[in-house]
Amino acid sequence: MSRLFGTDGVRGLANRDITVELALDLSIAAAHVLGDADRRSGRRPRAVVGRDPRASGEFLSAAVVAGLASAGVDVHDVGVLPTPAVAFLTADMGATFGVMLSASHNAMPDNGIKFFAEGGHKLPDAVEDEIAARIGQEWDRPMGAEVGRIQRNRAGQARYIAHLLRTLPNRLDGLTVVIDGAHGAASAVSPEVFRLAGADVVEIGTDPDGLNINDGYGSTHLDRLRAAVVERGADLGIAHDGDADRCLAVDASGTEVDGDQIMAVVALALKERGALRENTLVATVMSNLGLLQAMEREGITVKQTGVGDRYVLEEMRRSGFSLGGEQSGHVILLDHGTTGDGVLTGLMLAARVVETGRSLADLAAVMTRLPQVLVNVKGVDKGRVETDVELLAAVRAEEEALAGTGRVLLRKSGTEPVVRVMVEAESEERAREVCDRLCGVVRERLAL
């Protein structure tokens, strides 16, 4: 059987995959698993519940809140807030756990449910599996004064904004920034915190109506942000996704600054302040070779993990590192938050521009992105990608031919009969040539 939980909670098409019944059952199961320690200590469990503005979140959050209260959990319903705000408030308010309803960068019809443990940390796989296993089990229903109480808590936004402002190393006076909120969870928070920090703010994609989240705006649709930055003569633009746990940027010319470049800029800033622990950055194997080369030149070690921000976070927590993230714009500053935070990342990037007096383009030029070609080879036996001798030999031969000027990465999909072939080289033409050859070997050797 496949796991109920994916890499970032339970996600699917709202009202078909993610139903009221599932939301209710899942919240009751979570109340038992995550609230057991409090109950054994004689305390009432407390939960923080937030959501992004998509329409289905209205009825799904109602189901989650109802399920939690019915299982004896007191609920602070904080309404529409970014995912990292819910994680922060879970820790800041001393709650037993947190719940966020969002499908992040997915289109509006989708939704999802994810949980944070005490302290605002993501749950380990084993705990998620325990919650899934508790669904549908018999349980003792609390009665009378033992049922949970529900409080509509709208002070969470102000607490989160105050937290963000405390992290800033310097103000943003004199900076003009375009904020693209993806019509999502950061539509109110991000422009306000940038203004409070001193920036002149131009807003786009900050008018959510429940139906327009991620629709032509946000970190997966940068064209409008590029145009707005150039048209308004802004210093930079910041783009969030639907739940604002990621951030991408564009410079004054409208050129994209991706997650790798953002991490490079922030890593150097932290190193300069003595705040980059062990002078180490944690990134995934999908980060561009240009990031690794740039960090080596600057005396910064890059520790690489599997793909997914949860694996980055696990390595950071295990080894005590302070900065990590993904090319997609999930950046984790562990001294200030327990998960990727797109608003925090944007603030740190903007602060570095003001602090140095240099343009974002100049700062981002610390690394040169090598051309990257990625092809999904479908309909193959992905299970043999790591064991087929001839395929592995072909990969080694291509890597030796690149001689340190590029790299090759083969990954199997977690959900489909697909092998992803990624090649980086000094030119796109060279990368495509290598990728085409390897795709041919994959099709030949891994044919079903």
Side-chain angles (χ1 to χ4, degrees):
M1 264 180 93
S2 61
R3 292 185 73 233
L4 175 62
F5 285 84
T7 56
D8 202 20
V10 182
R11 192 178 293 184
L13 184 59
N15 222 22
R16 187 187 69 184
D17 305 317
I18 309 299
T19 62
V20 165
E21 294 84 357
L22 176 61
L24 191 68
D25 291 344
L26 196 57
S27 60
I28 291 169
H32 294 146
V33 172
L34 301 176
D36 275 351
D38 274 4
R39 292 189 189 89
R40 287 195 298 270
S41 301
R43 299 188 299 267
R44 287 170 68 99
R46 294 192 301 133
V48 173
V49 178
R51 65 180 181 89
D52 72 23
R54 65 189 76 213
S56 59
E58 297 168 2
F59 68 80
L60 289 172
S61 65
V64 166
V65 168
L68 294 176
S70 75
V73 177
D74 288 338
V75 178
H76 292 272
D77 182 355
V78 296
V80 174
L81 280 179
T83 289
V86 173
F88 164 74
L89 290 169
T90 299
D92 191 55
M93 297 171 66
T96 312
F97 61 96
V99 190
M100 179 68 186
L101 291 102
S102 175
S104 188
H105 59 280
N106 287 25
M108 180 276 296
D110 287 350
N111 215 325
I113 304 170
K114 57 185 168 185
F115 297 91
F116 291 103
E118 188 174 14
H121 298 287
K122 289 190 175 184
L123 301 182
D125 288 352
V127 177
E128 290 179 337
D129 290 341
E130 186 179 356
I131 292 172
R134 291 286 288 267
I135 291 176
Q137 289 187 4
E138 291 293 322
W139 55 289
D140 295 327
R141 296 174 181 271
M143 301 292 174
E146 298 303 312
V147 301
R149 304 299 299 273
I150 300 168
Q151 179 181 345
R152 311 293 176 184
N153 188 329
R154 296 300 179 259
Q157 178 171 311
R159 291 175 76 150
Y160 175 57
I161 287 174
H163 155 69
L164 291 173
L165 291 172
R166 286 194 298 270
T167 69
L168 273 177
N170 52 270
R171 286 183 56 80
L172 307 182
D173 300 280
L175 200 69
T176 300
V177 182
V178 180
I179 302 292
D180 182 350
H183 295 307
S187 293
V189 169
S190 192
E192 181 175 357
V193 74
F194 272 84
R195 286 193 179 100
L196 289 171
D200 293 324
V201 176
V202 178
E203 298 183 39
I204 66 171
T206 57
D207 189 23
D209 61 10
L211 306 177
N212 59 1
I213 188 169
N214 300 318
D215 186 7
Y217 288 86
S219 59
T220 53
H221 307 278
L222 293 177
D223 286 348
R224 286 188 170 96
L225 180 61
R226 290 189 183 100
V229 167
V230 172
E231 180 184 339
R232 300 299 291 267
D235 296 291
L236 70 152
I238 299 294
H240 303 301
D241 60 340
D243 69 337
D245 64 353
R246 67 169 78 175
C247 163
L248 292 181
V250 300
D251 65 24
S253 70
T255 301
E256 178 183 349
V257 177
D258 71 9
D260 284 342
Q261 293 169 296
I262 291 171
M263 286 190 289
V265 173
V266 175
L268 290 176
L270 293 180
K271 183 187 178 190
E272 190 176 288
R273 298 184 202 116
L276 185 66
R277 284 200 216 99
E278 304 295 326
N279 277 344
T280 297
L281 166 68
V282 182
T284 77
V285 293
M286 290 301 290
S287 274
N288 194 278
L289 180 60
L291 174 65
L292 279 63
Q293 294 171 337
M295 294 297 94
E296 184 178 10
R297 287 195 305 270
E298 298 293 336
I300 294 173
T301 300
V302 179
K303 180 83 171 180
Q304 290 188 282
T305 73
V307 178
D309 65 317
R310 70 184 302 155
Y311 303 115
V312 172
L313 183 56
E314 285 172 7
E315 177 59 31
M316 292 175 69
R317 292 182 66 189
R318 180 168 52 248
S319 304
F321 300 132
S322 53
L323 179 65
E326 294 185 287
Q327 189 180 63
S328 60
H330 284 110
V331 177
I332 304 166
L333 291 124
L334 205 52
D335 287 340
H336 305 301
T338 57
T339 187
D341 189 329
V343 182
L344 174 61
T345 302
L347 286 168
M348 290 297 180
L349 193 63
R352 185 61 171 171
V353 171
V354 174
E355 179 185 26
T356 61
R358 297 164 61 189
S359 69
L360 179 56
D362 188 29
L363 291 170
V366 67
M367 69 162 279
T368 301
R369 282 186 292 187
L370 271 68
Q372 185 181 87
V373 175
L374 176 64
V375 174
N376 292 330
V377 183
K378 301 180 180 180
V380 293
D381 181 3
K382 64 181 181 181
R384 292 190 286 120
V385 70
E386 296 167 349
T387 58
D388 186 87
V389 175
E390 290 194 27
L391 175 58
L392 294 176
V395 170
R396 280 195 302 273
E398 296 291 359
E399 287 177 329
E400 289 171 4
L402 288 168
T405 63
R407 67 182 181 124
V408 174
L409 179 66
L410 269 62
R411 292 177 51 238
K412 57 187 176 184
S413 167
T415 57
E416 305 171 273
V418 168
V419 171
R420 309 191 200 285
V421 180
M422 189 273 284
V423 178
E424 291 171 348
E426 67 275 14
S427 70
E428 185 169 353
E429 181 182 16
R430 180 78 186 279
R432 193 163 297 282
E433 288 174 359
V434 174
C435 191
D436 287 345
R437 284 197 295 269
L438 285 176
C439 286
V441 178
V442 170
R443 292 186 186 97
E444 178 186 342
R445 297 299 305 169
L446 306 186
L448 292 172

